[in-house]
Amino acid sequence: QLVESGGGSVQAGGSLRLSCVASENIYRRYSMGWIRQAPGKKREGVALIDSDGNIDYADSVKGRFSISQDNAKNTLYLQMDSLKPEDTAMYYCAADRAYTDLWIRLTPDYWGQGTQVTVSS
């Protein structure tokens, strides 16, 4: 239902763009976002677009990350600039009908397989 791509290894200050192709039903009806988890750390909501098109970001990524969509391709993107070592994590595309489940509880109905982002200093 959700297929991510675009992770990799970069040096601090570099950029990466993550992509997530969603099924038609999920893309048109669900709020979607990116959640990350690093070893030994809590799961963190990174960026979200809700079903009305409203966008939210974690404070830790504001001004550096940008979430966007391509409606013709049913694809969600996360542009990550000025990457820092603390951004190193597995990044998951996620979707849920409920904003709270996706952004607050971080327990969305749908998860992608995850893509690793590693930022070296």
Side-chain angles (χ1 to χ4, degrees), residues 3-92:
V3 180
E4 302 128 339
S5 61
S9 298
V10 295
Q11 290 191 327
S15 298
L16 285 172
R17 188 176 79 158
L18 307 183
S19 301
C20 173
V21 180
S23 65
E24 179 82 13
N25 181 60
I26 287 177
Y27 188 84
R28 300 296 173 191
R29 298 171 185 268
Y30 284 61
S31 297
M32 295 183 65
W34 296 92
I35 295 171
R36 67 185 180 186
Q37 186 155 27
K41 294 187 178 180
K42 288 184 177 180
R43 190 179 293 174
E44 180 184 24
V46 176
L48 163 138
I49 295 180
D50 70 17
S51 54
D52 294 322
N54 300 306
I55 290 175
D56 207 351
Y57 294 100
D59 288 342
S60 59
V61 306
K62 282 181 181 176
R64 301 188 297 120
F65 289 14
S66 177
I67 191 170
S68 62
Q69 293 175 299
D70 185 334
N71 294 334
K73 297 180 179 180
N74 290 354
T75 300
L76 181 73
Y77 298 103
L78 183 68
Q79 178 66 42
M80 304 185 294
D81 298 320
S82 302
L83 282 160
K84 303 176 181 180
E86 50 263 44
D87 295 318
T88 295
M90 186 71 81
Y91 284 70
Y92 297 92

